[in-house]
Amino acid sequence: MPNLNKKTAINKYRKTFKNIEIYEGPPEEIISLSSSLNDVEAFKIKFKSIFGIYPPKPNEMKDFKDGQVLWSGQGQYFLFMNTDDQYLDTRIAKEFDGTAYSTLQSDAWATIIIEGSEIFKLLERTISLDLFNAEDYYASRTISFHVSVIVIKLNKNKVKIITPRTSSNSFLEALVQTATNVSLPCPKSGSIS
């Protein structure tokens, strides 16, 4: 009988640079949740009864008991749940009783955490959003290294990037190369002779 072991998207990668650390986020189930077009109000009420909060607004992420939820598009949300349940999408769809539809997305994404006092020196070179001035829990879909990603500012020293698993290794390689360049000392200026 074969023995199957789970493999993370980027092999639990972790590297520390000067005042910046890049590492793979902890495993979690990712659910894409879409509200039924028939009754948005019924969806909001059901969402509140299940998670104890109303759905987030655009560019917002919220905590709930077992994880976080962010707005990902009109009537669409991403749930990040601290569990290991391959049937979570089915269970959640059942709880919504026709007011929403869900699909398990965990295997489609990789989570990269960037942490440290100088993360914005790295992010300003890789993401075209003003994350430095954004509020905590600001969340947005954007482009980084020509890849569509979801970026979440957790706090002033920590950002979470959700990138497609299929290109996660090349995305990580580009991110690490940029972090290496950011960490290098600036050359001394001199006069031109």
Side-chain angles (χ1 to χ4, degrees):
M1 167 138 316
N3 184 13
L4 301 176
N5 295 316
K6 284 187 176 182
K7 183 177 177 186
T8 64
I10 52 176
N11 288 325
K12 299 180 184 174
Y13 181 89
R14 181 177 290 267
K15 186 163 184 175
T16 303
F17 303 87
K18 181 183 173 187
N19 301 318
I20 298 171
E21 186 172 17
I22 298 173
Y23 58 94
E24 185 170 24
E28 56 193 349
E29 297 293 3
I30 301 172
I31 303 290
S32 176
L33 185 69
S34 299
S35 65
S36 170
L37 297 177
N38 297 335
D39 194 346
V40 175
E41 284 308 310
F43 165 76
K44 288 180 183 177
I45 291 166
K46 192 61 101 167
F47 193 99
K48 173 91 162 83
S49 73
I50 294 168
F51 299 111
I53 58 170
Y54 285 106
K57 296 175 184 160
N59 298 121
E60 181 181 54
M61 185 175 80
K62 290 182 173 183
D63 286 325
F64 60 91
K65 182 183 173 202
D66 296 318
Q68 296 88 30
V69 58
L70 62 83
W71 182 91
S72 62
Q74 183 70 30
Q76 297 178 338
Y77 304 88
F78 264 25
L79 300 167
F80 303 95
M81 298 184 71
N82 307 319
T83 185
D84 183 9
D85 181 356
Q86 64 181 338
Y87 302 108
L88 186 61
D89 58 331
T90 319
R91 184 174 60 77
I92 287 175
K94 195 175 204 177
E95 289 183 52
F96 272 94
D97 194 29
T99 60
Y101 307 97
S102 62
T103 56
L104 192 63
Q105 297 278 317
S106 308
D107 289 340
W109 301 93
T111 302
I112 298 172
I113 307 292
I114 305 170
E115 192 168 1
S117 60
E118 294 187 358
I119 61 171
F120 297 106
K121 287 184 178 180
L122 168 61
L123 294 171
E124 69 188 6
R125 290 164 174 82
T126 60
I127 293 175
S128 61
L129 296 172
D130 183 7
L131 294 170
F132 181 79
N133 290 309
E135 296 287 326
D136 290 357
Y137 274 36
Y138 171 86
S140 180
R141 285 181 175 256
T142 189
I143 300 292
S144 181
F145 301 113
H146 307 288
V147 175
S148 180
V149 299
I150 298 169
V151 62
I152 305 155
K153 180 182 179 182
L154 298 172
N155 60 49
K156 67 178 184 172
N157 293 319
K158 192 172 185 180
V159 168
K160 179 178 184 176
I161 297 176
I162 313 297
T163 184
R165 186 179 183 122
T166 54
S167 58
S168 59
N169 284 301
S170 57
F171 178 85
L172 178 65
E173 183 180 340
L175 190 64
V176 167
Q177 181 62 49
T178 306
T180 302
N181 292 336
V182 167
S183 298
L184 293 172
C186 290
K188 292 183 180 180
S189 60
S191 58
I192 299 175
S193 47

